[in-house]
Amino acid sequence: MGLISLLTSNPTAFIIIALALVLSLAVHEFAHAYTADRLGDPTPRRYGRVTLNPIAHLDPFGTLLLLIAGFGFAKPVPVNPNNLGRWGTLWVAAAGPISNLLIAVLCAALLKVFPPTTITLTILLTVMSINVILAVFNLIPIPLLDGSRILGALVPPMGRALAQFEAQPFSFLIVMAFIFLARGPIGSIIQAVQGWVLNVVGV
């Protein structure tokens, strides 16, 4: 179910989830861009991506898909692997999911600090859940996701094969179909990671 259905049924939930998604995606892409920039690749800065401004990172089709289907994406950060090398590419790919995990842990920690009001719990748990979902999804080692870049850096022959698959015309549809079919196991992993995040801070 997409976010758009919440506009009439629960406008408050729509605003919280929409803002949490937009900001979390912006931080994710900024983490990629900032890491690449710090490691010597000027490409993200050239395209104006070393910023936390969500407008620089939102993809029109990905945003529309999010509103309609409940699953979307931001614009990938352009990088030049030749400027980064094998391990630089790995760290750039990992930076996005790591940023989401850090936000999730921060939200869990804040649950112990702020008064347990309904709105506080709703906001913090929503932001935490969204960032866990982003981290888990992006770490799946399949094309178009950060996990494939990490795997490619660790196992270069596999990286070349994944890159060839990603260049195929229908790779996006195949990846989306895989995620849909594997939503059960992925959901279980997400729940396990959410439990781990809460346990880390003792909530």
Side-chain angles (χ1 to χ4, degrees):
M1 183 182 294
L3 286 180
I4 201 166
S5 63
L6 290 175
L7 268 174
T8 54
S9 62
N10 194 337
T12 302
F14 172 84
I15 292 172
I16 293 173
I17 295 172
L19 287 176
L21 274 168
V22 168
L23 295 176
S24 298
L25 286 169
V27 170
H28 179 101
E29 298 303 331
F30 168 76
H32 287 313
Y34 178 79
T35 304
D37 187 65
R38 294 290 293 177
L39 292 177
D41 182 12
T43 310
R45 186 171 294 278
R46 188 181 306 130
Y47 283 87
R49 301 299 298 277
V50 188
T51 176
L52 285 168
N53 183 354
I55 296 176
H57 302 295
L58 291 181
D59 180 270
F61 177 69
T63 303
L64 180 63
L65 193 63
L66 187 66
L67 291 171
I68 296 174
F71 179 81
F73 52 88
K75 288 190 294 188
V77 172
V79 298
N80 186 344
N82 294 325
N83 294 329
L84 296 167
R86 177 182 175 186
W87 301 114
T89 300
L90 184 150
W91 280 113
V92 170
I98 289 173
S99 71
N100 294 128
L101 284 176
L102 290 175
I103 292 174
V105 171
L106 175 61
C107 288
L110 290 176
L111 287 171
K112 300 178 65 176
V113 177
F114 285 93
T117 62
T118 301
I119 189 65
T120 300
L121 288 174
T122 300
I123 292 173
L124 291 176
L125 288 174
T126 298
V127 176
M128 185 195 76
S129 298
I130 285 173
N131 278 277
V132 168
I133 291 169
L134 287 175
V136 171
F137 265 111
N138 278 283
L139 285 173
I140 299 174
I142 58 176
L144 305 177
L145 300 179
D146 297 326
S148 68
R149 271 71 171 176
I150 296 172
L151 179 61
L154 293 172
V155 188
M158 182 67 72
R160 289 189 287 271
L162 290 169
Q164 290 177 352
F165 173 82
E166 191 171 312
Q168 300 305 310
F170 299 106
S171 59
F172 174 78
L173 294 178
I174 294 173
V175 170
M176 291 300 101
F178 171 83
I179 292 174
F180 177 78
L181 293 173
R183 64 191 185 280
I186 294 173
S188 297
I189 295 172
I190 289 171
Q191 289 182 346
V193 175
Q194 286 177 337
W196 173 80
V197 168
L198 292 171
N199 287 331
V200 163
V201 296
V203 176

